[in-house]
Amino acid sequence: MRIFLCLLGILILTGCSPDSLGDRLFDLNYPVVDFTIPAGQPSFQTFVVARPRMGTNFRQEMAENGYTEDDIDLVGGIRARVTSLSGEDFREIERMELRVCPVDAIGGCTFIDLMFSVDELGGRRQQVVNLNPGQKNFRNVFLNNDEVRMELVITPFSITSQNIEARLEWTVGAVGGL
């Protein structure tokens, strides 16, 4: 997000038109994912909430909005958040990443497949964590696959001392005119 704001500032200062940033064509809200971060999760081990096969519905949404593949230049994360449903905060969590990759990716998603992330959470008493969009263009992933693999990767700050019932909500957007 910081990088985006810096680039926007540079464009404004150099006199470039903000129209060159493209047009948001449509957004896709994906179904919420409820999960539990277990107590006893060590800081040296990530906790992964995975959906190995989930429909993208991207082509359907594209058609319903009257767009073709040629209209879409960029597909990326719009918003993502993790909310505590049980009232605990996320002070024992250091980092959260939402990764998206093709279903057949060997070994699952990697750090290259980062759609959203947030770090330096340790010690914060937040019950809602907003993740920041990444910089990767997921156009080919969403246009070439009817299903994708989604992974929420959680890195504890210290050993988790309590179960946290949580919910992930996330939205992807298509941009054209770049």
Side-chain angles (χ1 to χ4, degrees):
M1 186 65 165
R2 292 179 188 146
I3 292 173
F4 174 75
L5 292 175
C6 289
L7 289 174
L8 183 61
I10 291 170
L11 288 173
I12 291 171
L13 291 175
T14 59
C16 294
S17 169
D19 294 339
S20 64
L21 296 177
D23 300 312
R24 188 118 129 247
L25 305 177
F26 60 89
D27 294 349
L28 274 128
N29 295 312
Y30 285 97
V32 299
V33 178
D34 291 341
F35 61 94
T36 302
I37 302 171
Q41 191 69 34
S43 59
F44 59 84
Q45 184 178 22
T46 59
F47 176 72
V48 180
V49 178
R51 293 295 178 262
R53 299 186 88 86
M54 61 176 287
T56 65
N57 301 322
F58 193 82
R59 288 196 169 277
Q60 177 184 343
E61 192 72 23
M62 184 175 69
E64 287 177 6
N65 284 283
Y67 295 109
T68 67
E69 284 186 29
D70 294 335
D71 296 322
I72 297 174
D73 297 318
L74 172 75
V75 176
I78 300 297
R79 61 186 150 271
R81 71 178 175 189
V82 177
T83 305
S84 171
L85 300 175
S86 51
E88 292 84 10
D89 58 47
F90 295 104
R91 70 176 170 261
E92 296 176 335
I93 304 302
E94 176 62 20
R95 182 170 177 80
M96 293 185 192
E97 298 177 350
L98 180 68
R99 301 173 182 178
V100 177
C101 61
V103 170
D104 59 357
I106 297 171
C109 300
T110 66
F111 67 92
I112 295 170
D113 304 310
L114 188 72
M115 183 172 273
F116 295 96
S117 68
V118 66
D119 56 8
E120 298 180 10
L121 292 171
R124 295 185 189 176
R125 298 186 177 267
Q126 296 174 269
Q127 290 182 344
V128 176
V129 175
N130 293 307
L131 285 76
N132 302 313
Q135 298 178 350
K136 180 178 178 178
N137 185 349
F138 287 84
R139 179 185 187 278
N140 291 335
V141 173
F142 280 82
L143 285 175
N144 297 334
N145 299 281
D146 292 330
E147 293 182 316
V148 292
R149 176 179 179 84
M150 183 279 299
E151 296 177 355
L152 177 63
V153 180
I154 299 171
T155 306
F157 178 70
S158 60
I159 297 176
T160 55
S161 63
Q162 57 192 352
N163 289 343
I164 302 174
E165 302 292 325
R167 170 173 288 155
L168 167 67
E169 302 167 82
W170 61 294
T171 303
V172 170
V175 175
L178 294 177

Coordinates of all heavy atoms in Angstrom, one line a residue, residues 31-79:
P31 N -16.3 -16.2 -0.9 CA -17.0 -16.7 0.3 C -16.1 -16.6 1.5 O -14.8 -16.8 1.4 CB -17.4 -18.1 0.0 CG -17.4 -18.3 -1.4 CD -16.3 -17.3 -1.9
V32 N -16.6 -16.2 2.7 CA -15.8 -16.1 3.9 C -15.3 -17.5 4.3 O -15.9 -18.5 4.0 CB -16.6 -15.5 5.0 CG1 -17.1 -14.1 4.7 CG2 -17.8 -16.3 5.4
V33 N -14.2 -17.5 4.9 CA -13.6 -18.8 5.4 C -13.4 -18.6 6.9 O -12.7 -17.7 7.4 CB -12.2 -19.0 4.8 CG1 -11.6 -20.2 5.3 CG2 -12.3 -19.0 3.3
D34 N -14.2 -19.5 7.7 CA -14.0 -19.5 9.1 C -13.0 -20.6 9.5 O -12.9 -21.6 8.9 CB -15.4 -19.8 9.8 CG -16.4 -18.7 9.6 OD1 -16.0 -17.6 9.4 OD2 -17.6 -19.0 9.8
F35 N -12.2 -20.3 10.5 CA -11.1 -21.2 10.9 C -10.7 -20.9 12.3 O -11.1 -19.9 12.9 CB -9.9 -21.0 10.0 CG -9.2 -19.7 10.0 CD1 -8.2 -19.4 10.8 CD2 -9.7 -18.7 9.1 CE1 -7.6 -18.1 10.8 CE2 -9.2 -17.4 9.1 CZ -8.1 -17.1 10.0
T36 N -9.9 -21.8 12.9 CA -9.4 -21.6 14.3 C -7.9 -21.7 14.3 O -7.3 -22.6 13.7 CB -9.9 -22.8 15.2 OG1 -11.4 -22.7 15.1 CG2 -9.5 -22.6 16.6
I37 N -7.3 -20.7 14.9 CA -5.8 -20.7 15.1 C -5.7 -21.4 16.4 O -6.2 -20.9 17.5 CB -5.2 -19.3 15.2 CG1 -5.5 -18.5 13.8 CG2 -3.7 -19.3 15.4 CD1 -5.2 -17.0 13.9
P38 N -5.0 -22.5 16.5 CA -4.9 -23.3 17.7 C -3.9 -22.7 18.7 O -2.9 -22.1 18.4 CB -4.5 -24.7 17.2 CG -3.7 -24.4 16.0 CD -4.4 -23.2 15.4
A39 N -4.2 -23.0 20.0 CA -3.3 -22.7 21.1 C -2.1 -23.6 20.9 O -2.2 -24.7 20.4 CB -3.9 -22.9 22.4
G40 N -0.9 -23.2 21.3 CA 0.3 -24.0 21.2 C 1.0 -24.0 19.9 O 2.0 -24.7 19.7
Q41 N 0.6 -23.1 19.0 CA 1.3 -22.9 17.7 C 2.6 -22.2 17.9 O 2.6 -21.0 18.3 CB 0.4 -22.2 16.7 CG 0.7 -22.2 15.3 CD 0.6 -23.5 14.7 OE1 -0.3 -24.3 15.0 NE2 1.5 -23.8 13.8
P42 N 3.8 -22.9 17.6 CA 5.1 -22.2 17.9 C 5.4 -21.1 16.8 O 4.9 -21.2 15.7 CB 6.0 -23.4 17.8 CG 5.4 -24.4 16.9 CD 3.9 -24.2 17.1
S43 N 6.3 -20.2 17.2 CA 6.7 -19.1 16.3 C 7.5 -19.6 15.2 O 7.6 -18.8 14.2 CB 7.4 -18.1 17.1 OG 8.6 -18.6 17.7
F44 N 8.1 -20.7 15.2 CA 9.0 -21.2 14.1 C 8.2 -22.0 13.1 O 8.8 -22.4 12.1 CB 10.2 -22.0 14.7 CG 9.7 -23.2 15.4 CD1 9.4 -24.4 14.8 CD2 9.7 -23.1 16.8 CE1 9.0 -25.5 15.5 CE2 9.3 -24.3 17.5 CZ 8.9 -25.4 16.9
Q45 N 6.9 -22.1 13.3 CA 6.1 -22.9 12.4 C 4.9 -22.1 11.9 O 4.2 -21.5 12.7 CB 5.6 -24.2 13.1 CG 4.9 -25.1 12.3 CD 4.5 -26.4 13.1 OE1 4.5 -26.4 14.3 NE2 4.2 -27.5 12.4
T46 N 4.7 -22.0 10.6 CA 3.5 -21.3 10.1 C 2.3 -22.2 10.2 O 2.3 -23.4 10.2 CB 3.7 -20.9 8.6 OG1 3.9 -22.1 7.8 CG2 4.8 -19.9 8.5
F47 N 1.1 -21.5 10.3 CA -0.2 -22.2 10.4 C -0.8 -21.8 9.0 O -0.9 -20.6 8.7 CB -1.0 -21.7 11.6 CG -2.4 -22.2 11.6 CD1 -2.6 -23.6 11.9 CD2 -3.4 -21.4 11.3 CE1 -3.9 -24.1 12.0 CE2 -4.7 -21.9 11.3 CZ -5.0 -23.2 11.7
V48 N -1.3 -22.8 8.3 CA -1.9 -22.6 7.0 C -3.3 -23.0 6.9 O -3.7 -24.1 7.3 CB -1.1 -23.3 5.9 CG1 -1.7 -23.0 4.5 CG2 0.4 -22.9 5.9
V49 N -4.2 -22.1 6.5 CA -5.6 -22.4 6.2 C -5.7 -22.4 4.7 O -5.4 -21.4 4.0 CB -6.5 -21.2 6.8 CG1 -7.9 -21.5 6.4 CG2 -6.3 -21.1 8.3
A50 N -5.9 -23.6 4.2 CA -5.9 -23.8 2.7 C -7.3 -24.2 2.2 O -8.0 -24.9 2.8 CB -4.9 -24.8 2.3
R51 N -7.5 -23.7 1.0 CA -8.7 -24.2 0.2 C -8.0 -24.7 -1.1 O -7.7 -23.9 -2.0 CB -9.7 -23.0 -0.1 CG -10.4 -22.5 1.1 CD -11.3 -23.6 1.6 NE -12.0 -23.2 2.8 CZ -11.6 -23.4 4.1 NH1 -10.5 -24.1 4.3 NH2 -12.3 -23.0 5.1
P52 N -7.8 -26.0 -1.2 CA -7.0 -26.6 -2.3 C -7.7 -26.4 -3.7 O -7.0 -26.3 -4.7 CB -6.9 -28.0 -2.0 CG -7.2 -28.2 -0.5 CD -8.1 -27.0 -0.2
R53 N -9.0 -26.3 -3.7 CA -9.7 -26.1 -5.0 C -10.9 -25.2 -4.7 O -11.8 -25.6 -4.0 CB -10.2 -27.4 -5.5 CG -9.2 -28.5 -5.8 CD -9.8 -29.7 -6.5 NE -9.9 -29.5 -7.9 CZ -8.9 -29.8 -8.7 NH1 -7.8 -30.2 -8.3 NH2 -9.0 -29.6 -10.0
M54 N -10.8 -24.0 -5.2 CA -12.0 -23.1 -5.1 C -12.2 -22.5 -6.5 O -11.3 -22.1 -7.1 CB -11.8 -22.1 -4.0 CG -10.6 -21.2 -4.1 SD -10.6 -19.9 -2.8 CE -11.9 -18.9 -3.3
G55 N -13.5 -22.4 -6.8 CA -13.9 -21.8 -8.1 C -13.6 -20.3 -8.1 O -13.8 -19.6 -7.1
T56 N -13.0 -19.8 -9.2 CA -12.7 -18.4 -9.3 C -14.0 -17.6 -9.7 O -14.1 -16.4 -9.3 CB -11.6 -18.1 -10.3 OG1 -12.1 -18.4 -11.6 CG2 -10.4 -18.8 -10.0
N57 N -14.9 -18.2 -10.5 CA -16.1 -17.5 -11.0 C -15.7 -16.2 -11.8 O -16.5 -15.4 -12.0 CB -17.0 -17.1 -9.9 CG -17.5 -18.3 -9.2 OD1 -17.8 -19.4 -9.7 ND2 -17.7 -18.2 -7.8
F58 N -14.4 -16.2 -12.2 CA -13.9 -15.0 -12.8 C -14.4 -14.8 -14.2 O -14.9 -13.7 -14.6 CB -12.3 -15.0 -12.9 CG -11.7 -13.7 -13.2 CD1 -11.6 -12.7 -12.2 CD2 -11.4 -13.4 -14.5 CE1 -11.0 -11.5 -12.5 CE2 -10.8 -12.2 -14.8 CZ -10.6 -11.2 -13.8
R59 N -14.4 -15.8 -15.0 CA -14.9 -15.7 -16.4 C -16.4 -15.4 -16.4 O -16.9 -14.6 -17.2 CB -14.7 -17.0 -17.2 CG -13.2 -17.1 -17.5 CD -13.0 -18.2 -18.6 NE -11.6 -18.1 -19.0 CZ -11.2 -17.2 -20.0 NH1 -12.0 -16.4 -20.5 NH2 -9.9 -17.3 -20.4
Q60 N -17.2 -16.0 -15.5 CA -18.6 -15.7 -15.3 C -18.8 -14.2 -15.0 O -19.7 -13.5 -15.6 CB -19.2 -16.6 -14.3 CG -20.7 -16.3 -14.1 CD -21.3 -17.2 -12.9 OE1 -20.7 -18.2 -12.5 NE2 -22.4 -16.8 -12.4
E61 N -18.1 -13.7 -14.0 CA -18.2 -12.3 -13.6 C -17.8 -11.4 -14.8 O -18.5 -10.4 -15.0 CB -17.4 -12.1 -12.4 CG -17.6 -10.7 -11.7 CD -19.0 -10.7 -11.0 OE1 -19.5 -11.7 -10.6 OE2 -19.5 -9.6 -10.8
M62 N -16.8 -11.8 -15.5 CA -16.3 -11.0 -16.6 C -17.4 -10.9 -17.7 O -17.7 -9.8 -18.2 CB -15.1 -11.7 -17.2 CG -14.4 -10.9 -18.3 SD -12.8 -11.8 -18.8 CE -13.5 -13.3 -19.6
A63 N -18.0 -12.0 -18.0 CA -19.1 -12.1 -19.0 C -20.3 -11.3 -18.5 O -20.9 -10.5 -19.3 CB -19.5 -13.5 -19.3
E64 N -20.7 -11.4 -17.3 CA -21.9 -10.7 -16.7 C -21.7 -9.2 -16.8 O -22.7 -8.5 -16.9 CB -22.2 -11.2 -15.3 CG -22.8 -12.6 -15.2 CD -23.0 -13.1 -13.8 OE1 -22.8 -12.3 -12.9 OE2 -23.4 -14.2 -13.7
N65 N -20.5 -8.8 -16.7 CA -20.2 -7.3 -16.7 C -19.9 -6.8 -18.1 O -19.5 -5.7 -18.3 CB -19.0 -7.0 -15.8 CG -19.5 -7.0 -14.3 OD1 -20.1 -6.1 -13.9 ND2 -19.2 -8.1 -13.6
G66 N -19.9 -7.7 -19.1 CA -19.7 -7.4 -20.5 C -18.3 -7.1 -20.9 O -18.0 -6.3 -21.8
Y67 N -17.3 -7.8 -20.3 CA -15.9 -7.6 -20.6 C -15.4 -8.9 -21.3 O -15.9 -10.0 -21.1 CB -15.1 -7.3 -19.4 CG -15.5 -5.9 -18.8 CD1 -16.2 -5.8 -17.6 CD2 -15.2 -4.8 -19.5 CE1 -16.6 -4.6 -17.1 CE2 -15.6 -3.5 -19.0 CZ -16.2 -3.5 -17.8 OH -16.6 -2.3 -17.3
T68 N -14.3 -8.7 -22.0 CA -13.6 -9.9 -22.6 C -12.2 -9.9 -22.0 O -11.7 -8.9 -21.3 CB -13.4 -9.7 -24.1 OG1 -12.6 -8.6 -24.4 CG2 -14.8 -9.5 -24.8
E69 N -11.4 -10.9 -22.3 CA -10.0 -11.0 -21.8 C -9.2 -9.8 -22.3 O -8.3 -9.4 -21.5 CB -9.4 -12.3 -22.4 CG -9.8 -13.6 -21.8 CD -9.0 -14.8 -22.3 OE1 -7.8 -14.6 -22.6 OE2 -9.5 -15.9 -22.3
D70 N -9.4 -9.3 -23.4 CA -8.7 -8.2 -24.0 C -8.9 -6.9 -23.1 O -8.1 -6.0 -23.2 CB -9.0 -7.9 -25.4 CG -8.6 -9.1 -26.3 OD1 -7.6 -9.8 -26.0 OD2 -9.2 -9.2 -27.4
D71 N -10.0 -6.8 -22.5 CA -10.3 -5.6 -21.7 C -9.6 -5.6 -20.3 O -9.4 -4.6 -19.7 CB -11.8 -5.6 -21.3 CG -12.7 -5.4 -22.6 OD1 -12.3 -4.7 -23.5 OD2 -13.8 -6.0 -22.7
I72 N -9.1 -6.8 -19.9 CA -8.5 -6.9 -18.6 C -7.0 -6.9 -18.6 O -6.4 -7.7 -19.3 CB -9.0 -8.2 -17.9 CG1 -10.5 -8.1 -17.7 CG2 -8.3 -8.4 -16.6 CD1 -11.2 -9.3 -17.2
D73 N -6.4 -5.9 -18.0 CA -5.0 -5.7 -17.9 C -4.4 -6.2 -16.6 O -3.2 -6.6 -16.6 CB -4.6 -4.2 -18.1 CG -5.0 -3.7 -19.5 OD1 -4.9 -4.4 -20.5 OD2 -5.6 -2.6 -19.5
L74 N -5.1 -6.1 -15.6 CA -4.6 -6.4 -14.2 C -5.7 -7.1 -13.4 O -6.8 -6.6 -13.4 CB -4.1 -5.1 -13.6 CG -3.7 -5.2 -12.1 CD1 -2.4 -5.8 -12.0 CD2 -3.7 -3.8 -11.5
V75 N -5.3 -8.1 -12.7 CA -6.2 -8.7 -11.6 C -5.4 -8.7 -10.3 O -4.2 -9.2 -10.3 CB -6.6 -10.1 -12.0 CG1 -7.4 -10.7 -10.9 CG2 -7.4 -10.1 -13.3
G76 N -5.9 -8.2 -9.3 CA -5.2 -8.1 -8.0 C -6.1 -8.0 -6.9 O -7.4 -7.9 -7.0
G77 N -5.5 -8.0 -5.7 CA -6.3 -7.9 -4.5 C -6.8 -6.5 -4.2 O -6.1 -5.5 -4.4
I78 N -8.1 -6.4 -3.8 CA -8.7 -5.2 -3.5 C -8.7 -5.0 -2.0 O -8.3 -4.0 -1.4 CB -10.1 -5.1 -4.0 CG1 -10.1 -5.2 -5.6 CG2 -10.8 -3.8 -3.6 CD1 -9.4 -4.1 -6.3
R79 N -9.3 -6.0 -1.3 CA -9.3 -5.9 0.2 C -9.3 -7.3 0.8 O -9.9 -8.2 0.2 CB -10.4 -5.0 0.7 CG -11.8 -5.6 0.3 CD -12.9 -4.6 0.7 NE -14.0 -4.8 -0.2 CZ -14.2 -4.1 -1.3 NH1 -13.4 -3.2 -1.7 NH2 -15.3 -4.4 -2.1

